[in-house]
Structure formats: C-alpha cells, structure tokens
Amino acid sequence: MMTEKLFQTNSYLKTCSAVIESVEGNKVVLDRTIFAPEAGGQGSDTGFIGQARMVHAEEKDGLVIHELEEVTSDIKVGAEIEMTLDWDNRFDHMQNHLGEHILSGILFNKYGISNKGFHLGTDISTLDADMKKMPDEMVEELELEANRAVFSGLPVEIKLIESKEEAESLPLRKALKVDEDISVVTIPGVDCVACCCPQPADTSQVGIIKIIKAENYKGMTRIYFKCGMRALEDFRLKHKIVTTLNKKYSSEDENLLENIKIQENKFNDVRRDLNTMKVKFAQIEAAALLEGAEKVVAREYEDYTLDDLKMLGKQASEMTDLPIILSSTKVNTVLLTHSGQSSLRCGAVVKEFASGFGGKGGGSDSLAQALFKDPEVMRNFVQIALASI
Ligand SMILES: [Zn+2]
C-alpha cells in the first residue's frame, strides 16, 4: 500500500479530498495526499485534514503519516475528507528549496563543487559546499549567477522515472539513493537532480536569492541563504536598521560607515582626554595624600572604584617609597602597593590575613588587592595590614 503523492505532480494543489484509510492515536493515513512529508533537510507541510489541524507529516515505507494536533469527530476510517494546505508555509519551502537547487547546480556545473548537505531552517537555510575556503569574490559571483537564473524564468521540469537505468542516463549532479519512484528535477542549463519535494513551476517564483554569509564548516564552506519572502523580510529589517543609523549619524547610505568612523574617532579622543585628566587629578590627589605621611600612606574613600584606587596607588607609588594602603567602601576593596623599595610583601599580606576576614584577592609583592563583604571586615583587615608594617 502506498499513499498517492499529489504534490509531486501538482505542487499548486491547495485543497483536495481524500479517503481516510487508518487512524492510530493522532496519526492518520489517507489514500492520497497534498501534504509533502519531512524529507531531505526540509520540514513537512502543515494544514488541515477536515476539522483537524495537521502539524507534521512523515513518510514510512511509502505511506505518508499525518500527525494531527487533536483528533476531531470527523476523522473516521473510510470517511471522505477535505485536505487544506497551509500555502504560505509551502510556498516558502518551495522558494527556498528551489533556491538551493539553483545554488547547488551552479556550484556543480560551473565550479565542479558538490553540495554535501542541505538544511531548510525556519529562518535561514544552509548548504555545505565541498570547498575548504570559498573566496568572497566567488560567493558574490555565485549569488549573481543564481539570481540571473531566477530572473531568466527558466522552467522547472519534473520527471517521474521508472527505472534506475533511465535516471542514470540523465546528467544528475548527485548519485541516486532509491531504486523506484524516482522524481528528477531539471532546470535547463542550471541543474538536474533527483528530488521528491514540491517545486515552483519556474525559477522566477524564487523571487530573489540572497547569500547571508559563508563560513568554514568541517573543512567545507557552509553557505547561509534566504530566498523569496524571507529575503524581502531580511531586506526590510536591514533597511530599518540602516535608516535608524542614518538618522542617528545624519548620513545617507553612502557615507554612513564613514560617519560612524568619524564619531568613533571623536569618542576615542574624548576617552583619551578623560584619561589624561584622571591621571592629572590622581597626581594632585596623591601629592595631598603623601603630606605628613611617615611610615605608611593610608586612606579610606567612599566613592572610589577599584580602577580609581589603582590609578591613585600608581601615582602615589611614583612619588614615594612608603607602602600605600588605599580602600573604598563603595567596592569594599583594599589596595596595597608601593614603589618596589618597601619591604612590605603586599600579595603575602593579602594571602595571610584577608581570608580570615572572608576576603578574596591576591597579587604580587608590590601590588595586591582584597575584596570584602562589608566595610567593617574590610577595616579590620586594614588594621592588621597596618600593624604588619
Ligand atoms: Zn531538492
């Protein structure tokens, strides 16, 4: 017993009647179907069988098994029932699937490169070209050639072939896998391959083929692409992004990147100026800190970040050989540092005492830091560190 696959001879059949042959749980077999099952890297059609939503179809031993979301009362063995195809989903599959045939056909016929894998995703599709690193110019050329084939409106010829011998007389791009019921899809001058998925009547229905990216994948080049409506949606999204950026940078498409670069340079200048100011400010701060210090330079701050403490510590250590202990209640962190001339081993002090106060940290002989849970334990640690000098 086999399910008659109406989609193979008429891919535009959106509704048709069929007789229910079996119902098992929520799985239904019909005498014939308009629904293409999941196959060769492509998801299945969806739609309605009578009142019931059909969510997935798969093929097993010549039978197409339709999975229903819920078995409605009209689903009964022997009943004649109406099938309704989710056409938008199907046409999207047809556009992207034929796009893959066109890309693969050009890769094979023009460059002698095989397609080792195809996946029609819900958002983007991929094909794996058997070439290690495809140059950018070649990707662009492939895209251009593929769209030329689309714009030429070439017929897509489907031939159901009786025997393997008959199929082998055709210039097939891929070796055959099955022995019977072979459907060969030919785009004159572009591609010829065995395939049982529904196809558009001519290449112009693909609309457009856009390669999104090409990257290395297991020693091959994985090509990501979008066709038809997906390519339009992609263009709409990117157009929206570019329009927003043009407004933000007072640009036109042509000088947008240049204007972004100019803004980036300005931002870098401001950042450099800010850093220079911070250093100058830290030098002034350090000079004041050193006044009157005899054995050690120590101070607690309220609003300093760790970077602020480091900057101040660095400037101060360039002005004195005394050990420096700076802390901030904003980050509950203590910084120990010196010029290298002090005998205080900063890292060792942190290692020896900080953990006793629940602190975490470490560092070298001349620069170390320790982080604490609250200001009180941080201050206790500072007292111990001061006592160790
Ligand atoms: Zn195919």
Side-chain angles (χ1 to χ4, degrees), residues 40 42 97-98 100-101 118 173 185 193-197 199:
Q42 174 172 318
H97 194 124
L98 192 65
E100 184 262 346
H101 279 225
F118 166 51
R173 130 167 89 80
V185 179
V193 73
C195 174
C196 56
C197 290
Q199 301 290 351

Side-chain angles (χ1 to χ4, degrees), residues 73-129:
S73 59
D74 55 339
I75 304 296
K76 286 191 184 100
V77 175
E80 189 169 332
I81 204 148
E82 193 77 359
M83 301 172 281
T84 315
L85 179 66
D86 179 352
W87 173 249
D88 287 348
N89 177 58
R90 155 67 75 77
F91 191 59
D92 170 65
H93 284 179
M94 281 163 50
Q95 285 186 312
N96 285 277
H97 194 124
L98 192 65
E100 184 262 346
H101 279 225
I102 295 169
L103 288 166
S104 301
I106 293 167
L107 275 173
F108 186 73
N109 289 314
K110 189 168 175 182
Y111 303 99
I113 294 166
S114 301
N115 167 8
K116 293 282 186 189
F118 166 51
H119 178 72
L120 198 157
T122 50
D123 172 53
I124 197 162
S125 303
T126 59
L127 72 84
D128 297 329

Side-chain angles (χ1 to χ4, degrees), residues 329-333 354-355 357-360 370-378:
T329 51
K330 184 179 183 173
V331 288
N332 292 328
T333 299
S355 66
F357 297 101
K360 282 178 192 161
L371 169 73
F372 298 89
K373 284 205 172 70
D374 63 67
E376 282 319 305
V377 286
M378 180 184 81

